[in-house]
């Protein structure tokens, strides 16, 4: 997802953080800190415990506690997401990455066609983990209350555990709303998919998801809640994207790159001047060519590579100076959906098709979208 950066790997899965996730920590610190009496009262009422609030209410401590609760919540969100991913891994489904958003996480799954049974277990794993975290935090409230004497320090701990318990249980409930692509929406899709084809189930689930998004957006506007509006936005975009991917999967099922590739392929030598490559693009209307030397593929050159080179240098410079050297290639029997996935992930527009060390064709993003349009008729 755009606006995310990588923070590390866990079980071989890249973990990304979306920038909204970081914005929310100071925001939480401020929102919780500036009216901490309200949440202290909430924890007292929910758990029916006494809280010594001498420390909680003094000086800057409310803001510090706000930040602590925010970080605690995000650790909870992270474990929630990890639960989804571990179930997926165990079922042999590859996970591309986990992205932490401010209201939860998104696990980008390589395999877009999980069977309903697997998806159901995978979808439920997250919310149930949040429920477990909530219950454990709740138990800790009573443990501290019972075994630590009722001091101001104990008050701080009771407040943090109590608030985290409430937030994780809200997270559990919120994620179970059938707003695809949130977890509850996935449960809905898994249920629908047992009685209809997956792309139909996805399309219905994502319409329900978009309905929820609109509802959240309206409520967010009425309540002046930027958080709810952002959630609405993410759900709307997410629902659209997933239903599109499932649709492509359906339309491109059984289509191989060999069936749709363009032939013959225009190849260029590594020593061709860039100005000639540009004229060749005008002639052929192709915006990229494989670069070959003695019959071997050595790189690929595209309009983007050319555009990066100053106009004045284009006569002096050659293909080999600007071409990309690590070229992704596919065999003719590879599914077109694989090609589309690689192109989207690596942001490339064309992939040479190779058989027995020879280029036999080239498949471009526009070829794929033409096929999608044709199949949609
Ligand atoms: Zn989840």
């Amino acid at each position: 997802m755009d606006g995310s950066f990588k923070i590390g790997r866990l079980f071989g899965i890249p973990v990304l953080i979306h920038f909204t996730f970081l914005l929310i920590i100071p925001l939480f610190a401020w929102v919780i800190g500036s009216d901490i009496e309200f949440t202290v009262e909430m924890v007292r009422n929910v758990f029916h415990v006494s809280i010594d609030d001498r420390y909680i209410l003094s000086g800057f401590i409310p803001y510090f506690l706000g930040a602590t609760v925010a970080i605690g919540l995000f650790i909870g969100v992270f474990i929630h997401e990890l639960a989804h991913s571990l179930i997926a891994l165990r079922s042999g489904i590859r996970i591309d990455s986990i992205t932490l958003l401010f209201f939860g996480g998104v696990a980008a799954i390589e395999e877009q066609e999980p069977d309903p049974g697997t998806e159901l277990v995978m979808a439920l794993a997250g919310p149930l983990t949040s429920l477990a975290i909530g219950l454990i935090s709740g138990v800790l409230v009573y443990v501290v209350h019972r075994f630590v004497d009722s001091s101001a320090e104990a008050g701080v701990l009771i407040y943090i555990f109590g608030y985290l318990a409430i937030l994780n249980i809200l997270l559990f409930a919120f994620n179970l709303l059938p707003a695809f692509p949130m977890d509850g929406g996935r449960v809905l899709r898994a249920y629908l998919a047992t009685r209809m084809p997956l792309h139909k189930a996805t399309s219905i689930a994502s319409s329900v998801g978009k309905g929820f998004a609109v509802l959240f957006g309206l409520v967010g506007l009425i309540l002046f809640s930027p958080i709810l509006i952002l959630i609405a936005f993410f759900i709307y975009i997410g629902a659209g994207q997933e239903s599109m991917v499932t649709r492509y999967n359906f339309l491109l099922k059984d289509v191989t790159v060999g069936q749709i590739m363009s032939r013959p392929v225009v190849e260029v030598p590594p020593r061709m001047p860039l100005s000639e490559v540009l004229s060749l693009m005008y002639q052929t209307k192709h915006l990229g060519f494989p670069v070959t030397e003695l019959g071997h593929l050595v790189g690929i050159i595209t309009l983007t590579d050319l555009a990066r080179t100053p106009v004045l240098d284009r006569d002096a410079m050659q293909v080999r100076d600007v071409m990309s050297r690590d070229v992704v290639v596919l065999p003719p029997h590879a599914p077109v959906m694989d090609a589309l996935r690689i192109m989207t992930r690596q942001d490339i527009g064309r992939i040479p098709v190779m058989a027995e060390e020879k280029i036999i064709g080239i498949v471009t993003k526009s070829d794929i979208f033409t096929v999608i349009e044709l199949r949609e008729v």
Side-chain angles (χ1 to χ4, degrees):
M1 189 173 284
D2 285 345
S4 310
F5 52 92
K6 195 171 150 184
I7 52 163
R9 275 173 176 279
L10 208 62
F11 301 102
I13 309 165
V15 179
L16 309 165
I17 277 197
H18 195 257
F19 76 95
T20 52
F21 195 91
L22 297 179
L23 292 182
I24 210 79
I25 292 180
L27 184 69
F28 256 61
W30 182 68
V31 169
I32 298 174
S34 52
D35 190 12
I36 201 154
E37 288 93 342
F38 172 73
T39 49
V40 172
E41 211 39 50
M42 180 172 74
V43 174
R44 273 197 191 108
N45 290 333
V46 169
F47 293 93
H48 298 289
V49 290
S50 55
I51 301 178
D52 183 334
D53 56 14
R54 269 173 300 160
Y55 278 173
I56 298 176
L57 301 182
S58 67
F60 282 106
I61 289 186
Y63 299 97
F64 174 73
L65 287 178
T68 310
V69 169
I71 292 167
L73 176 63
F74 295 145
I75 294 172
V77 166
F78 179 67
I79 300 174
H80 167 125
E81 222 46 47
L82 204 59
H84 287 305
S85 305
L86 289 180
I87 296 280
L89 283 182
R90 215 190 54 182
S91 321
I93 295 171
R94 274 181 57 196
I95 305 281
D96 257 2
S97 61
I98 297 177
T99 305
L100 299 173
L101 300 166
F102 70 98
F103 64 96
V106 176
I109 292 157
E110 173 99 0
E111 184 65 56
Q112 286 291 346
E113 308 264 279
D115 69 279
T118 311
E119 170 149 53
L120 184 71
V121 178
M122 223 167 83
L124 287 174
L128 291 179
T129 305
S130 293
L131 179 65
I133 298 172
L135 293 177
I136 292 170
S137 309
V139 168
L140 286 175
V141 168
Y142 293 112
V143 170
V144 174
H145 192 254
R146 177 87 175 72
F147 295 105
V148 184
D149 60 332
S150 56
S151 60
E153 288 91 341
V156 169
L157 284 179
I158 291 174
Y159 170 72
I160 292 175
F161 288 137
Y163 200 3
L164 282 177
I166 294 169
L167 288 174
N168 276 289
I169 285 170
L170 285 177
L171 204 63
F172 155 74
F174 186 71
N175 270 286
L176 277 185
L177 288 177
F180 188 80
M182 289 202 325
D183 300 331
R186 292 188 183 282
V187 172
L188 172 67
R189 173 170 80 165
Y191 169 72
L192 293 172
T194 56
R195 37 188 68 213
M196 61 182 80
L198 185 70
H199 73 280
K200 283 229 176 76
T202 309
S203 150
I204 295 175
S206 82
S207 301
V208 176
K210 283 181 176 171
F212 267 100
V214 171
L215 191 70
F216 289 158
L218 286 176
V219 174
L221 282 176
I222 294 167
L223 299 179
F224 272 117
S225 162
I227 290 190
L228 213 49
I229 294 171
L230 252 145
I231 291 177
F233 177 77
F234 274 108
I235 292 177
Y236 197 90
I237 303 281
Q241 272 177 356
E242 289 227 15
S243 105
M244 200 174 69
V245 170
T246 318
R247 175 138 199 86
Y248 290 170
N249 257 320
F250 169 70
L251 292 170
L252 295 176
K253 197 172 61 182
D254 322 315
V255 187
T256 63
V257 293
Q259 290 170 317
I260 68 156
M261 65 188 183
S262 314
R263 275 176 305 189
V265 185
V266 184
E267 299 167 18
V268 297
R271 288 171 197 277
M272 185 186 252
L274 295 187
S275 50
E276 276 180 40
V277 177
L278 199 58
S279 354
L280 197 60
M281 284 180 179
Y282 273 109
Q283 271 173 40
T284 60
K285 313 287 180 298
H286 294 324
L287 300 182
F289 307 108
V291 184
T292 52
E293 190 167 35
L294 303 170
H296 288 291
L297 180 69
V298 292
I300 195 158
I301 182 155
T302 64
L303 184 64
T304 323
D305 300 322
L306 275 177
R308 272 200 296 264
T309 320
V311 179
L312 288 175
D313 295 342
R314 286 183 197 156
D315 275 318
M317 285 174 84
Q318 300 178 332
V319 166
R320 57 179 180 169
D321 301 322
V322 298
M323 67 183 190
S324 323
R325 282 165 202 280
D326 45 354
V327 188
V328 186
V329 297
L330 283 172
H333 57 79
V336 169
M337 205 52 208
D338 282 3
L340 186 58
R341 219 173 269 139
I342 295 169
M343 287 175 183
T344 311
R345 196 173 331 128
Q346 306 196 2
D347 198 20
I348 52 178
R350 55 190 51 71
I351 298 178
V353 183
M354 305 262 288
E356 288 155 10
E357 307 273 297
K358 279 204 176 66
I359 303 180
I360 57 164
I362 193 159
V363 59
T364 65
K365 220 179 219 171
S366 46
D367 290 339
I368 298 177
F369 281 105
T370 308
V371 175
I372 288 173
E373 273 184 56
L374 287 170
R375 290 216 145 195
E376 227 150 5
V377 184

